[in-house]
Amino acid sequence: MFKQFFTFEVRFWLRSWMLWVFFLIVALMFFGAASSDQITVGSSLKNTYRNAPWVVENFYVVCSLLTLLMTTAFVNSAASRDFAHNTHQILFSTPIRKLDYLAGRFLGSALIATIPLLGVSVGILAAKYMPWVDAERWGPVVWSAHWKAILVFAIPNTLFIAAIIFAIAVLTRSTVVSFLGSLALLAGYGISRVLTSDLKNQKLAALIDPFGIDPFLYATKYWTVAEKNTLSIGYSGYLLWNRLIWLGVGGLIFAFAYWRFSFAERTEKKKKLKAQESVSITSTAIPASARNFGAGAEWLQFWGTVKIEFKRLVKTTTFIVITAFALLNCVPALIYSNTEGFGNTFLPVTYRLLEVIAGTLYLFLIAMITYFAGVLAWEERDSGTDEVHDALPSPEWPTYLAKLTALMSSIVIILAVVMCAALLVQFFHGYHRYQFGLFIANLFGIDLLGFVFLAILAFFIHVISPNKYVGYFGYITFLLLTTFVWQPLHIATYLVQFGQAQTMTYSDFYGYRPFLESWVWFMLYWTAFCIFMAALTILLWQRGRETSWRSRIRNARLRYHGAVRLIAIAAAIGFVATGAWIFYNTKVLNTVRSENDNDRLQADYEKTYKKFEKQPEPRVTDVKYAIDLYPESRNMTMRGQQTIVNQTSKPLTEIHFTLASDYQTTIDMRVAGDAVHHEDPGAGFREHTFQPRRAAERYVHPQPDRPSDRVPARQRIGRQEQTQALRAQGKRSDACA
Amino acid sequence: MELQIQNLSKVYQNGVRALDNVSLTIPVGMYGLLGPNGAGKSTLMRTIATLQEPDSGEIHLGTLNVLRQKQELRKTLGYLPQEFGVYPRTSAQEMLGHLALLKGITDSKQRKDTVEALLHRTNLHEHRKKALSGFSGGMRQRFGIAQALLGDPRLLIVDEPTAGLDPGERNRFYSLLSEIGEDVIVILSTHIVEDVMELCTNMAVIHQGKVLFAGAPSEAVKSLEGRIWQKSVAKSEVKEHEQRYRVISSKLIAGKPLIHIYSAENPGNGFTPVSADLEDVFFSRISGIE
């Protein structure tokens, strides 16, 4: 019997969405943490290999704590399934043994709960082969670290957590209590770590940590970088004793649950039936009610749908677990953000906390948008309510927009929670320069806009997909393509990278100013695109059972009137107009160079001027610079004087200068009493030869051509390369004597 | 107001001819669509409910072109699909209130009253706070009926409405329908003959996408008067009788097959005359006799 319960449990979960969503999120998170510095889990990776065995084991330790709520979701569901689905009366009247039943459910769900943890290994192993990683930071794969981490941390921690949650779930039969229990466990653990952090006896501390973090850190405390890069730790020393103690405690908790559990039905309080209820059944007349179908009614329907969709969304287990997981990664990172490495402390300034939030939270938000856009777009069809819903007189837009709004509301709430956490962190660190405006502009302006774009895209792709799976696949493929396909094609412009614009770097000196204008233009461009896409989504919204494209296009034509039509046309015009304007500025007035262009230019430069490599050159013996910086326009003017002396034994016929490519340069030279003036409006691969009286000399400035005629106000639009080009408004003078 | 269906045809991608040149005129009152499972009843009803497109043909409700003015039609429509699920994580009361809002009842007081009344009429009032996902089959069906009745529909389409209802609930639902059906077009599909007998003033028999009969049930019965004969036979004799006579139905009465045959004259051989009922109409039509 045990085998049946166990295999049922395992098979049940292997077919479920939840398991694979959790697995993918963990894999994605550690993939990101291992392959980039933008995403962090625990502490950022410093001097070891990015896949060092110590890092792998450390990731598993951290992750087995982070996945606590995932474990709760599996184990609680396994423990309370028969009560939730009213199958307990059937099941418990059969001659099954209590131990088989409980142990099968418990071990089956605990085994499943370790599967998301394997995402750590998958993420790290995959990250090594990404084209953008620095090969020098990656060592050979140390397999022993992976399996030891799974045996020492993943499985025992999951078993321990699972035992506690299983006991709570079996004894209380309440999902809410199970989740509260897991949160209490987490909070209690956090508090106990603070209390034991002052413990003089590190050995004792290493034994009483139920998740094995302390014994791991204690055992590897004095490891060198080389040791961390090559050694892995298994069952030994304090780690062994720690694991034995806590597996034992887990076993005792399970035994307690076994002892207290009974198949007998609880005696529930019978609700008194009101006598008059049954009387009124046939007598009530259905009152007449006024019906409205105008725009006002549609807005009311929109808000009503937002409310009900939002309530449903935040009640799903998946939402609760992913949110908790995300906050567990983000909030501690905020708390410890002022102590970054080697005993240094930082002020928790706002823009830094915003960076921490982006690094620790946004991956989850993107995962949530991806998953729930599909859930919401297919909600009616998945639950079989589509025929009822589609025959209602409410048009398409309130439903669509309400689903979108409900999804974004859940994101807004998470952002608001995180913002409050960041403000509290600032408060408790005694940093009282609260920049509410910056927090709000960044989280609910710049970043939220990006999330809205993603959600609109996801809904659109789901609406044109024949089923949910194709929708998910199409969405992810599209995002990968738009991110990675352009570089190999030698196309470098944000005009083709969905929802992208130049990354804005905030500075306390000048805010976002130098980037803002360019950013705003690109956002107008993408906003127009997304509004157009939203209008298309409404036109193509699946209604009824007819899925052929012919009938969908016919329906779209029927819907194409009034506000939708106006908005679609306006958005299309806006998209084309802003696109043309940006194109004119970045491609006609200026050039944007891709990385490949830069490489080619560099190669040309080296080929052309290789011949001067061994050329004797005069020495600069004295320099004086006066530099004026204009940060708000990212400009500078530099006036300099150099004294160049020929220290070779022969007379020189040539002097070579390397000029900055992005600046206009004027050079005045006095060579043996003759004044030489050269103005260089742009830079180029040109050799300017000039003929002073005494000796034939020439100078060369080896940089690519740039258009010289620029209108300043128009030039700030563009991506980073572009913006550098725009800096050429400044003048630099090199004077030589 | 009348619902006019003209030359409606629909062939599914897998080649099934669900509607084959269907033309019907449906007046105010209860209209029964009778046909075996898979006859095309649901396709026809979905098409009228704007959820499917025909390959050819037209539907008009009064002056309304149903296939083009979908949104206008939906404003007058109440629809109970044959199969439907429930919205997860929502109570019956909350969901019904939401559906009422989507049906255009924007005044919250009126909405509340309407929902209350419908919950009472469908006997769901004591379960109103319960999650829909915990509803039994019969409760779900009653919820489906309640939502179809929201907002005083002028055109009510109910596809197999009594499936899963116990006899008491079924009667209650019929009295509700007949009460409403006096000045509303009610189209009711079923494969149960008594349903049509008890309720409908007009009916159509549909089989393999074709209309085999359209008119009043009494008229249909009259056309078979004196031509139906019955006989109780042994199980082993059924096959033989099927070869010799035009058997239209065979059912078990107390474990013994009772066969009905169609014959213009007295077939003799132990057959006794029987007054035709709608069931005979149904079976004779779908077995291809007149």
Side-chain angles (χ1 to χ4, degrees):
Chain A
M1 277 310 270
F2 166 78
K3 217 181 115 200
Q4 267 121 324
F5 282 112
F6 180 80
T7 49
F8 172 84
E9 201 58 44
V10 171
R11 279 213 215 110
F12 175 84
W13 287 115
L14 287 178
R15 282 195 303 259
S16 77
W17 268 98
M18 193 165 87
L19 172 66
W20 301 111
V21 169
F22 288 171
F23 173 77
L24 274 178
I25 283 182
V26 172
L28 205 64
M29 176 169 142
F30 285 91
F31 172 79
S35 68
S36 88
D37 287 324
Q38 264 81 54
I39 296 164
T40 41
V41 177
S43 54
S44 55
L45 302 174
K46 293 244 166 53
N47 37 22
T48 60
Y49 288 140
R50 284 181 161 274
N51 63 340
W54 185 85
V55 171
V56 172
E57 290 194 277
N58 190 30
F59 273 171
Y60 264 101
V61 174
V62 174
C63 190
S64 63
L65 192 61
L66 288 179
T67 53
L68 190 142
L69 277 124
M70 295 186 181
T71 306
T72 306
F74 293 118
V75 175
N76 173 65
S77 166
S80 58
R81 184 176 306 121
D82 294 316
F83 300 100
H85 294 96
N86 279 326
T87 47
H88 61 292
Q89 287 157 335
I90 302 169
L91 191 68
F92 295 170
S93 59
T94 58
I96 48 171
R97 279 176 54 211
K98 196 161 106 173
L99 185 64
D100 291 340
Y101 172 75
L102 289 179
R105 286 273 147 93
F106 170 68
L107 289 176
S109 58
L111 177 76
I112 288 294
T114 56
I115 288 181
L117 278 159
L118 301 182
V120 177
S121 287
V122 173
I124 297 172
L125 291 172
K128 189 181 178 187
Y129 302 101
M130 292 303 112
W132 61 84
V133 300
D134 178 6
E136 287 184 7
R137 295 286 313 275
W138 292 77
V141 176
V142 182
W143 290 101
S144 66
H146 289 271
W147 62 258
K148 278 181 187 167
I150 291 166
L151 289 179
V152 178
F153 300 111
I155 292 175
N157 283 354
T158 307
L159 278 174
F160 174 70
I161 295 165
I164 294 173
I165 301 302
F166 193 79
I168 296 175
V170 154
L171 299 179
T172 66
R173 298 177 185 179
S174 156
T175 302
V176 179
V177 177
S178 293
F179 275 97
L180 285 179
S182 71
L183 288 177
L185 180 65
L186 209 58
Y189 181 66
I191 293 164
S192 74
R193 277 186 72 79
V194 173
L195 293 180
T196 56
S197 62
D198 293 335
L199 217 59
K200 287 283 180 294
N201 191 340
Q202 288 188 330
K203 290 169 187 171
L204 182 63
L207 286 181
I208 62 174
D209 177 352
F211 296 109
I213 296 176
D214 276 337
F216 174 70
L217 293 178
Y218 177 67
T220 61
K221 193 172 181 180
Y222 298 108
W223 279 18
T224 62
V225 170
E227 282 173 314
K228 284 180 177 175
N229 277 344
T230 49
L231 297 180
S232 59
I233 191 165
Y235 280 108
S236 60
Y238 283 98
L239 203 49
L240 172 68
W241 285 110
N242 171 292
R243 305 283 72 193
L244 285 179
I245 289 170
W246 290 104
L247 273 178
V249 172
L252 284 177
I253 292 169
F254 179 76
F256 175 75
Y258 171 78
W259 172 56
R260 295 285 302 162
F261 178 78
S262 157
F263 282 134
E265 180 93 34
R266 294 261 173 98
T267 47
E268 282 179 47
K269 286 178 202 160
K270 290 257 165 145
K271 283 174 204 155
K272 284 180 196 163
L273 286 175
K274 285 175 198 158
Q276 74 252 31
E277 294 260 21
S278 48
V279 178
S280 59
I281 288 170
T282 48
S283 53
T284 321
I286 300 160
S289 43
R291 299 171 76 200
N292 295 306
F293 298 106
E298 287 170 16
W299 278 103
L300 283 175
Q301 290 166 352
F302 165 72
W303 284 114
T305 313
V306 169
K307 266 189 256 168
I308 204 160
E309 291 283 5
F310 178 76
K311 258 202 269 180
R312 263 191 233 140
L313 175 67
V314 298
K315 274 198 237 167
T316 57
T317 312
T318 319
F319 179 82
I320 295 167
V321 171
I322 299 177
T323 306
F325 193 81
L327 292 179
L328 277 179
N329 195 42
C330 179
V331 175
L334 284 173
I335 294 170
Y336 294 108
S337 62
N338 70 326
T339 52
E340 188 78 9
F342 309 115
N344 296 329
T345 55
F346 290 90
L347 283 177
V349 289
T350 303
Y351 69 85
R352 200 181 136 63
L353 292 188
L354 286 169
E355 277 169 20
V356 172
I357 291 172
T360 54
L361 183 73
Y362 284 1
L363 184 72
F364 297 98
L365 298 187
I366 291 168
M368 255 188 210
I369 290 168
T370 307
Y371 176 67
F372 284 108
V375 169
L376 289 172
W378 294 91
E379 189 184 26
E380 276 81 18
R381 278 166 283 179
D382 282 346
S383 63
T385 50
D386 54 329
E387 285 199 83
V388 170
H389 199 91
D390 293 348
L392 296 169
S394 173
E396 293 76 25
W397 78 261
T399 306
Y400 162 62
L401 227 52
K403 284 172 189 284
L404 190 66
T405 309
L407 180 57
M408 292 336 289
S409 308
S410 67
I411 301 287
V412 165
I413 283 178
I414 296 173
L415 287 175
V417 168
V418 166
M419 186 180 90
C420 293
L423 286 167
L424 283 175
V425 165
Q426 291 186 331
F427 176 78
F428 283 109
H429 282 306
Y431 177 82
H432 298 300
R433 188 169 153 251
Y434 304 112
Q435 291 171 287
F436 294 104
L438 181 58
F439 266 121
I440 288 167
N442 206 297
L443 295 177
F444 303 105
I446 299 167
D447 295 344
L448 188 64
L449 191 62
F451 295 136
V452 172
F453 287 168
L454 286 180
I456 290 176
L457 174 73
F459 270 102
F460 176 70
I461 291 179
H462 276 288
V463 161
I464 61 169
S465 298
N467 63 52
K468 196 152 94 176
Y469 310 96
V470 172
Y472 282 130
F473 180 76
Y475 173 72
I476 291 165
T477 310
F478 181 88
L479 284 188
L480 290 177
L481 281 182
T482 187
T483 315
F484 294 117
V485 83
W486 302 113
Q487 201 191 336
L489 293 178
H490 297 210
I491 295 169
T493 169
Y494 288 124
L495 284 171
V496 294
Q497 293 183 32
F498 176 77
Q500 297 293 307
Q502 176 179 0
T503 318
M504 294 203 285
T505 312
Y506 180 83
S507 153
D508 270 339
F509 286 121
Y510 48 77
Y512 289 120
R513 230 171 306 153
F515 312 98
L516 200 59
E517 194 182 341
S518 149
W519 184 86
V520 166
W521 276 109
F522 271 100
M523 284 302 122
L524 284 175
Y525 171 76
W526 286 118
T527 304
F529 181 75
C530 284
I531 291 174
F532 182 71
M533 204 158 53
L536 266 186
T537 309
I538 291 169
L539 292 176
L540 293 171
W541 191 259
Q542 178 67 44
R543 195 159 183 171
R545 285 292 165 95
E546 212 65 57
T547 49
S548 77
W549 274 98
R550 221 184 58 188
S551 69
R552 292 187 70 175
I553 286 166
R554 198 187 309 140
N555 276 329
R557 284 221 189 97
L558 292 177
R559 292 174 200 167
Y560 185 62
H561 60 79
V564 179
R565 180 174 165 170
L566 273 179
I567 288 168
I569 293 172
I573 293 172
F575 175 68
V576 172
T578 48
W581 177 245
I582 293 170
F583 188 85
Y584 174 67
N585 273 279
T586 59
K587 290 286 183 184
V588 180
L589 289 185
N590 298 291
T591 37
V592 179
R593 271 178 281 144
S594 69
E595 253 167 68
N596 303 60
D597 293 339
N598 282 330
D599 289 349
R600 209 182 52 239
L601 284 172
Q602 187 64 28
D604 286 351
Y605 165 70
E606 284 171 22
K607 275 185 232 156
T608 314
Y609 297 107
K610 177 85 176 165
K611 57 188 174 188
F612 298 125
E613 195 184 3
K614 298 274 157 53
Q615 182 97 2
E617 297 285 350
R619 285 290 174 87
V620 177
T621 57
D622 187 26
V623 288
K624 284 196 189 79
Y625 285 122
I627 303 169
D628 296 328
L629 298 177
Y630 307 100
E632 64 284 346
S633 57
R634 296 192 83 201
N635 249 324
M636 71 166 185
T637 312
M638 188 163 94
R639 282 176 301 280
Q641 260 194 348
Q642 295 184 347
T643 309
I644 302 176
V645 179
N646 181 2
Q647 293 182 334
T648 62
S649 52
K650 290 177 204 157
L652 289 176
T653 55
E654 293 178 1
I655 306 173
H656 298 105
F657 295 98
T658 302
L659 304 184
S661 62
D662 301 328
Y663 294 86
Q664 295 174 344
T665 308
T666 316
I667 299 177
D668 287 297
M669 261 189 298
R670 199 176 300 275
V671 184
D674 292 330
V676 176
H677 175 79
H678 177 71
E679 268 193 51
D680 177 34
F685 272 123
R686 282 167 299 182
E687 296 188 6
H688 296 258
T689 309
F690 53 97
Q691 196 75 45
R693 280 182 210 157
R694 305 288 163 91
E697 297 186 21
R698 62 185 184 151
Y699 78 90
V700 174
H701 58 118
Q703 292 293 339
D705 258 319
R706 298 201 157 271
S708 53
D709 184 23
R710 298 190 178 105
V711 186
R714 295 178 181 172
Q715 285 167 342
R716 284 190 220 127
I717 301 162
R719 51 186 296 175
Q720 195 123 26
E721 288 92 324
Q722 178 57 29
T723 321
Q724 283 170 353
L726 296 170
R727 278 191 252 147
Q729 300 149 25
K731 286 201 166 116
R732 191 173 79 168
S733 315
D734 290 284
C736 311
Chain B
M1 197 172 59
E2 262 182 356
L3 186 71
Q4 294 266 3
I5 300 167
Q6 288 151 2
N7 309 102
L8 215 57
S9 287
K10 171 81 181 174
V11 181
Y12 284 118
Q13 274 178 345
N14 58 13
V16 172
R17 189 168 281 275
L19 296 176
D20 192 355
N21 204 19
V22 169
S23 296
L24 289 171
T25 302
I26 301 178
V28 168
M30 302 277 280
Y31 195 94
L33 283 183
L34 198 58
N37 290 331
K41 300 189 299 285
S42 290
T43 304
L44 179 60
M45 298 184 112
R46 272 201 216 108
T47 310
I48 303 169
T50 74
L51 298 176
Q52 260 184 338
E53 309 271 340
D55 295 335
S56 60
E58 304 245 325
I59 307 175
H60 291 274
L61 178 69
T63 54
L64 210 66
N65 183 339
V66 172
L67 298 178
R68 294 197 62 83
Q69 294 164 285
K70 295 181 183 201
Q71 208 53 33
E72 290 305 309
L73 180 97
R74 286 173 187 143
K75 290 176 187 172
T76 65
L77 177 71
Y79 177 57
L80 171 68
Q82 185 175 6
E83 279 170 4
F84 62 97
V86 290
Y87 290 84
R89 295 174 290 280
T90 313
S91 74
Q93 190 178 34
E94 187 179 23
M95 198 62 231
L96 209 52
H98 182 58
L99 291 171
L101 176 63
L102 293 181
K103 278 210 169 181
I105 307 174
T106 47
D107 183 272
S108 59
K109 171 83 175 62
Q110 287 185 357
R111 196 159 65 230
K112 199 164 161 281
D113 292 346
T114 308
V115 167
E116 279 285 300
L118 279 168
L119 285 170
H120 275 295
R121 290 307 296 268
T122 51
N123 204 9
L124 286 172
H125 196 255
E126 62 178 296
H127 308 292
R128 65 190 184 279
K129 303 265 189 222
K130 249 173 109 173
L132 283 167
S133 46
F135 271 23
S136 70
M139 283 158 76
R140 277 184 196 196
Q141 193 69 17
R142 281 182 278 152
F143 177 81
I145 291 162
Q147 66 79 23
L149 294 177
L150 278 171
D152 316 320
R154 307 279 87 200
L155 171 64
L156 185 63
I157 299 176
V158 285
D159 199 352
E160 305 273 355
T162 54
L165 296 188
D166 65 35
E169 285 163 352
R170 189 167 146 247
N171 287 339
R172 199 149 47 226
F173 172 58
Y174 282 156
S175 68
L176 190 59
L177 267 193
S178 56
E179 183 185 315
I180 292 162
E182 284 164 11
D183 48 358
V184 170
I185 299 174
V186 181
I187 308 174
L188 174 125
S189 88
T190 180
H191 59 276
I192 303 165
V193 177
E194 294 103 76
D195 284 358
V196 176
M197 242 352 228
E198 288 166 25
L199 285 169
C200 298
T201 44
N202 284 294
M203 63 169 278
V205 177
I206 297 183
H207 184 52
Q208 292 175 342
K210 287 198 176 84
V211 177
L212 301 181
F213 172 82
S218 54
E219 225 173 280
V221 173
K222 212 181 282 169
S223 70
L224 287 180
E225 214 53 75
R227 296 169 184 222
I228 303 295
W229 310 80
Q230 70 171 17
K231 183 186 177 186
S232 190
V233 296
K235 269 178 200 161
S236 55
E237 296 170 330
V238 174
K239 214 168 182 119
E240 187 211 325
H241 277 82
E242 274 175 357
Q243 282 162 1
R244 281 187 58 192
Y245 301 102
R246 299 170 84 175
V247 174
I248 55 173
S249 68
S250 159
K251 59 184 171 189
L252 292 175
I253 301 288
K256 220 175 161 199
L258 178 76
I259 57 173
H260 280 204
I261 65 161
Y262 176 90
S263 173
E265 293 112 42
N266 188 343
N269 193 16
F271 280 99
T272 54
V274 61
S275 63
D277 62 11
L278 204 52
E279 197 169 293
D280 296 315
V281 175
F282 178 62
F283 284 119
S284 64
R285 296 284 171 173
I286 67 172
S287 55
I289 301 161
E290 295 188 23

